[in-house]
Amino acid sequence: MKRKNLIFWGFVVTAIIALAGGLLWRGGWIGKKCIASHPSFSLDQLHDKEGIVPVAIIGSGPAGLAAALYSARGGMHTVVFEGDNPGGQLMLTSWVENWPGMPKKLGKDLIASARDQARAFGALFAQETVESINTGVWPFVLKTNHGRTIHALAVIIVTGATPKRLGVPGEDRYWGKGVTTCATCDAPFYKNAEVFVVGGGDAAFEEALQLAPYASKITLLLRGDKARASVAMHERIKAYPHIHQRFNTKIVEILGDGSHVTGVVLDENKVRKEESIRGIFLGIGHAPNSALAKGKVDLDEAGYLVLRNRTQATSVKGVFAAGDVADHRYRQAGVAAGDGVKAALDTLDFLRLVNFNERLAQQMESQLFVPEGGIQRLKIADLASIEEFETLVKKHTLFVLDCYTDICPSCTQLLPALERVAFENEGRIVFYKANVNNFPTLANRLNVQTAPTVLVFKNGKVVARLMRAVPHRQLADFVNSATK
Ligand code: NDP
């Protein structure tokens, strides 16, 4: 064959292979098959397990709560293991005024409303700490401090980081009352005030730069005789003549009037002195809370979890991470929450790829782990008579009637989900159920021809009807949109 022909046919064959590969990939066949048919992710491995959690979230700061919101709203049975410090670092902050769309809120109130929001979508909260995780088996095995064994299909690690502290007298007492680790959050509270920033690394310099537009004088206190911050940071602070550095200086005690910091005792070149100051910003480093993940997923040299390809995936398939445990750079609640959302979306994708879904979760309900006080349901009363129906439907603007029969499996399947929705709407919508075998005329009048049929009444009129069993989230969406 001539050289020209060879090149031509070479092109054609390559193009066909590329096209076919592209189509398979776009159709999801290659990627999906890869995981779903992977023996280690076979759903058969669940049949003899108890304490199953489809989405286990370890940690309950902004990243964990955002992940919980998206995962539960995505219809997945989601359990948040709240850990030793529920709510994370925001619980230690006073005012948060850099949460987009919300002018000002106390850190603890922000956490409480994020928790309530996730809970309203069905996220469950276990007041337990995960002490160990085995990522070498699937489902992953988690052990909690209550001696519980959890089999998790997917895990989101959001254990945060702990800002390092000085460990001097007065520090705990005035934490959040003049002593802080977040200039981005708290700088505006120090307008025209003199402040100290402790540390000489990039983080401390960054704190000083954040404070520059607000504070009248910023003094970096360095325990040694030089700053380890980068050349770029040194250049940046030169633009602000009110940022100073004091070397060989340590804080040995923090003083206050009971409600706020008023001063410090310093050790400067081994000489003790007392000085007045209003704010102390610590920039002495963070320690990621990654002990749990050590040896289980890849960590970087500083102990932060390593993420893959701009996703929240760790080095182990099915294990995701978000927030400060995987982010040494931004360390903002808003960033953590955004990453939490991404982690939940990645997790839902993963569960789809292993062919797990909400319907399966419902079928294996008895095997699922539900924390104490977990899923709350409201018992739905049975209709006693047609007269009672007439009274109820007239009296209540929003009324839901579940028409069922005794022997219908879908009706049995639907009821627990409906009881959850009834609980979530208690005081707003009245729920009843009617065994249609006892009320043939009513069923006929309401045009009910199959069981189950859920009827939603608004001002006495049927505004929506559902004629099959659906999982809780879908049912909640159906009822909510019909009663808006
Ligand atoms: P570093 O470890 O770089 O610096 C910590 C600083 O705190 C050092 O100056 C250290 O002093 C001081 N320090 C530690 N313990 C004490 C103590 N008990 N009392 C007083 N001073 C103390 O941590 P960073 O958080 O600054 O940075 C961590 C990583 O994150 C770095 O790689 C950094 O480059 C990066 N980073 C980057 C940023 C950016 O690019 N914008 C912003 C923030 C961090 P000594 O030097 O004497 O040990």
Side-chain angles (χ1 to χ4, degrees):
M1 208 183 285
K2 279 191 180 157
R3 198 163 163 262
K4 248 185 182 174
N5 278 353
L6 259 177
I7 293 172
F8 171 76
W9 285 111
F11 261 127
V12 171
V13 170
T14 314
I16 290 171
I17 291 171
L19 191 69
L23 283 174
L24 283 169
W25 181 260
R26 277 184 70 87
W29 299 323
I30 291 177
K32 283 179 188 171
K33 256 210 141 81
C34 244
I35 285 193
S37 63
H38 194 295
S40 54
F41 294 113
S42 163
L43 295 177
D44 295 344
Q45 285 154 208
L46 304 182
H47 83 273
D48 60 343
K49 303 281 188 301
E50 284 182 356
I52 293 176
V53 173
V55 181
I57 298 178
I58 310 175
S60 54
L65 296 175
L69 170 66
Y70 269 67
S71 171
R73 192 165 177 269
M76 270 307 148
H77 181 96
T78 302
V79 179
V80 179
F81 293 88
E82 296 201 272
D84 293 332
N85 302 302
Q89 292 181 59
L90 271 194
M91 298 297 280
L92 310 172
T93 319
S94 53
W95 293 105
V96 177
E97 53 182 23
N98 52 2
W99 190 271
M102 186 198 68
K104 198 173 171 184
K105 203 165 191 163
L106 283 171
K108 66 179 176 54
D109 292 346
L110 179 61
I111 287 295
S113 52
R115 192 179 186 279
D116 287 348
Q117 194 181 2
R119 203 176 155 82
F121 280 102
L124 303 169
F125 289 82
Q127 280 83 55
E128 296 181 35
T129 300
V130 175
E131 291 186 328
S132 73
I133 165 169
N134 183 354
T135 55
V137 291
W138 193 84
F140 307 114
V141 175
L142 316 182
K143 301 259 183 199
T144 78
N145 61 338
H146 287 200
R148 201 185 301 283
T149 299
I150 298 293
H151 294 102
L153 274 55
V155 176
I156 304 179
I157 301 175
V158 275
T159 41
T162 307
K164 289 183 191 157
R165 294 192 180 203
L166 294 170
V168 298
E171 186 182 39
D172 284 347
R173 183 162 185 207
Y174 293 106
W175 193 261
K177 297 169 184 165
V179 187
T180 169
T181 52
C182 182
T184 320
C185 324
D186 296 344
F189 300 114
Y190 294 88
K191 232 175 185 152
N192 303 319
E194 293 194 12
V195 297
F196 285 151
V197 174
V198 185
D202 281 345
F205 274 51
E206 185 83 55
E207 295 278 289
L209 288 166
Q210 299 281 353
L211 283 157
Y214 303 95
S216 57
K217 184 178 178 192
I218 302 145
T219 308
L220 283 151
L221 301 181
L222 295 95
R223 64 181 175 183
D225 56 8
K226 56 174 174 291
R228 67 163 84 169
S230 58
V231 174
M233 283 293 187
H234 277 95
E235 283 304 314
R236 282 177 66 193
I237 65 160
K238 277 186 191 159
Y240 301 95
H242 63 310
I243 299 181
H244 307 266
Q245 296 180 56
R246 256 164 97 172
F247 297 94
N248 301 310
T249 307
K250 283 189 252 177
I251 292 178
V252 286
E253 188 176 351
I254 293 170
L255 310 170
D257 59 10
S259 60
H260 202 90
V261 166
T262 54
V264 287
V265 178
L266 294 178
D267 172 336
E268 188 166 23
N269 291 312
K270 302 206 164 58
V271 179
R272 293 224 163 186
K273 52 180 85 159
E274 207 175 299
E275 281 186 23
S276 300
I277 201 80
R278 249 188 34 83
I280 301 162
F281 288 77
L282 304 183
I284 59 173
H286 276 73
N289 303 325
S290 57
L292 182 72
K294 197 172 176 187
K296 318 290 174 170
V297 299
D298 286 355
L299 307 184
D300 68 12
E301 279 166 10
Y304 290 88
L305 272 70
V306 177
L307 303 177
R308 310 264 140 182
N309 307 329
R310 290 180 60 87
T311 69
Q312 302 304 126
T314 67
S315 55
V316 174
K317 273 199 177 82
V319 180
F320 303 86
D324 288 9
V325 74
D327 168 23
H328 68 81
R329 185 173 162 80
Y330 299 104
R331 295 197 290 258
Q332 296 299 302
V335 176
D339 286 351
V341 169
K342 285 164 62 191
L345 295 176
D346 289 344
T347 302
L348 295 175
D349 262 354
F350 167 77
L351 290 174
R352 256 192 299 277
L353 293 185
V354 298
N355 294 323
F356 189 83
N357 56 38
E358 201 187 349
R359 206 171 283 279
L360 259 178
Q362 206 160 16
Q363 278 166 20
M364 53 168 59
E365 200 177 356
S366 61
Q367 290 170 268
L368 297 179
F369 166 61
V370 174
E372 224 169 279
I375 297 175
Q376 286 169 299
R377 297 194 168 98
L378 191 69
K379 212 166 160 39
I380 297 177
D382 255 292
L383 201 65
S385 63
I386 295 200
E387 291 68 38
E388 187 185 31
F389 168 75
E390 306 291 3
T391 315
L392 288 167
V393 86
K394 254 191 218 127
K395 189 170 159 200
H396 302 289
T397 316
L398 299 174
F399 180 73
V400 172
L401 188 67
D402 169 23
C403 303
Y404 72 98
T405 61
D406 285 332
I407 45 152
C408 123
S410 306
C411 301
T412 318
Q413 207 185 350
L414 180 81
L415 188 60
L418 196 67
E419 288 180 338
R420 275 178 85 174
V421 179
F423 177 82
E424 288 156 12
N425 287 286
E426 198 178 3
R428 191 173 86 86
I429 309 174
V430 172
F431 288 75
Y432 265 74
K433 56 187 163 74
N435 185 340
V436 285
N437 290 329
N438 301 336
F439 299 103
T441 25
L442 181 64
N444 201 21
R445 203 177 100 198
L446 297 172
N447 195 21
V448 172
Q449 299 175 34
T450 185
T453 293
V454 178
L455 298 171
V456 181
F457 294 81
K458 206 170 182 179
N459 297 317
K461 287 209 173 69
V462 177
V463 289
R465 79 176 53 222
L466 180 80
M467 291 172 293
R468 65 202 157 92
V470 292
H472 160 254
R473 191 68 256 140
Q474 220 173 314
L475 187 61
D477 289 345
F478 161 75
V479 170
N480 291 338
S481 75
T483 56
K484 260 201 292 229

